[in-house]
Amino acid sequence: MNSIDGLFVANFTELSLYECGREKCQPDKRILMDIKPYHIFHYVLYGSGVFILNAKKYFLKKGDLFYVPPGYTAQYYPDANDPWIYVWIGFNGSRSDDYLSRIGLSLDQPIYHDAKSLELKALFNDLADKYNHSKYLTLESLSVFISILYRMLISNRKKDVLLSSKETHIRMAKQFMENNFQFKIKITDVANALSLSPNYLANIFKEQLGTSPKEYLIEYRMQKASQYLINSTMSVKEIASKVGYDNAL
C-alpha cells in the first residue's frame, strides 16, 4: 500500500515507489530474488555479504549499494561471521533510466560505493523509518528517496571530472541511446547529437568497450524487449514497436 491523502506514489509518472524495508539477516539466509517489473536498490547499513547478478559475484560491505534491474533475478546472502543489515527500495518511473545512467548504475555496473563516509546511511534509515511508521510509501518517503538520488548524482558528477574525453563521449552516447531506443534512431543520429563523426564514435566504442555503437543499441533494445515479454501481456508486434522496430521478425 502506498497512498496518502488520496495520492498514490506508485502512480507518479516520473518517479514512483513500490516497496521498502529494512532487514537484519540471519547468517544462513540466502535469497533468490523474484523477477520484478521495477528497479531495486539495497543499501548495506552494517555487516557484509555477497551479491550475484548476471553470473557475476560481488563482495560487499557497509556503505555499499547493490542494484537489480527490472526483468532480472539476483542472489544475495550475508557473510556468516558478519551478517549484513540493509534497507531496500523498489522504484520506477519515466525518469528512472536517466537517473540510473547519470549515477552510473546498470546491469554491468550494479554497485555504488558511498564515498562520503556513509552519507546515504542516514537517508536510507530515514526512508525505512517513515515506511515502518506508516506502512505506506508516502509523498514524504518519495521526497527522501529523491534526496538519495540527488546525493548519488552529485557524487557521480564529481567523478566525471576524472573521465577522459573518450569515456565521456561513450557515456553520453549510451545515455542518448538508452533515452531514445524506442524511436527509429540510427548511429548517425547519436553521433550528430554529440557533434561527433560516426567513424570516431565507432572507433572509441570498439577501443573502450570492444563492441560497436550499433551492437550496443541492438543489445539494449533486446534487453528492453525481453523485459516487456516477461512483464507484460503485449504482443510481439506491439513490443517490437515499443523498442524501435517496424518489423516484429
Side-chain angles (χ1 to χ4, degrees):
M1 302 178 69
N2 39 21
S3 68
I4 183 171
D5 297 331
L7 295 174
F8 290 82
V9 295
N11 292 336
F12 287 10
T13 56
E14 287 199 358
L15 191 65
S16 37
L17 304 182
Y18 291 89
E19 60 174 283
C20 181
R22 178 170 47 211
E23 183 173 13
K24 180 179 181 180
C25 294
Q26 296 300 313
D28 59 349
K29 181 168 185 177
R30 301 178 71 97
I31 294 177
L32 176 60
M33 198 183 85
D34 293 334
I35 290 175
K36 304 282 189 178
Y38 45 82
H39 308 274
I40 300 283
F41 280 173
H42 287 74
Y43 182 87
V44 182
L45 300 170
Y46 301 98
S48 57
V50 174
F51 171 60
I52 303 170
L53 176 68
N54 202 27
K56 295 180 182 177
K57 182 180 289 188
Y58 305 88
F59 296 90
L60 306 177
K61 62 184 185 307
K62 178 173 66 175
D64 289 338
L65 178 149
F66 58 96
Y67 162 63
V68 183
Y72 287 87
T73 187
Q75 298 180 56
Y76 46 96
Y77 54 88
D79 181 271
N81 299 315
D82 187 24
W84 54 19
I85 302 173
Y86 53 65
V87 172
W88 77 87
I89 179 74
F91 66 97
N92 215 336
S94 61
R95 296 295 304 277
S96 297
D97 288 344
D98 179 41
Y99 294 145
L100 290 166
S101 176
R102 290 162 61 190
I103 290 169
L105 286 170
S106 66
L107 177 66
D108 295 323
Q109 296 179 313
I111 308 302
Y112 179 92
H113 303 285
D114 189 2
K116 284 201 168 183
S117 301
L118 311 184
E119 184 181 58
L120 298 177
K121 178 181 175 182
L123 288 170
F124 272 100
N125 262 325
D126 189 27
L127 182 63
D129 287 343
K130 284 178 168 49
Y131 174 71
N132 288 332
H133 177 70
S134 63
K135 292 302 177 186
Y136 292 91
L137 284 166
T138 63
L139 290 174
E140 193 175 14
S141 302
L142 182 60
S143 71
V144 175
F145 186 61
I146 290 171
S147 296
I148 288 171
L149 293 177
Y150 175 74
R151 295 289 184 187
M152 295 172 74
L153 285 166
I154 291 297
S155 176
N156 199 58
R157 194 175 300 156
K158 292 176 180 177
K159 295 176 190 175
D160 285 345
V161 176
L162 303 176
L163 295 178
S164 69
S165 60
K166 291 180 181 179
E167 290 170 326
T168 301
H169 287 149
I170 288 172
R171 174 172 290 189
M172 293 171 67
K174 289 167 68 175
Q175 183 175 329
F176 181 88
M177 287 187 274
E178 291 168 7
N179 290 342
N180 296 281
F181 72 93
Q182 65 270 47
F183 305 113
K184 296 175 182 64
I185 59 170
K186 299 178 180 178
I187 300 309
T188 52
D189 298 320
V190 182
N192 290 338
L194 304 180
S195 299
L196 303 173
S197 76
N199 284 341
Y200 172 77
L201 187 62
N203 288 338
I204 62 173
F205 258 73
K206 196 69 176 178
E207 176 187 318
Q208 300 286 321
L209 303 179
T211 188
S212 70
K214 182 178 180 180
E215 289 168 341
Y216 180 86
L217 179 58
I218 291 172
E219 176 65 22
Y220 190 80
R221 281 170 164 164
M222 292 304 99
Q223 288 180 11
K224 288 295 181 181
S226 67
Q227 292 172 22
Y228 285 128
L229 285 168
I230 292 169
N231 299 311
S232 79
T233 58
M234 290 187 290
S235 68
V236 172
K237 183 177 180 180
E238 290 172 316
I239 292 171
S241 177
K242 286 187 73 67
V243 298
Y245 292 105
D246 288 328
N247 190 333
L249 292 178

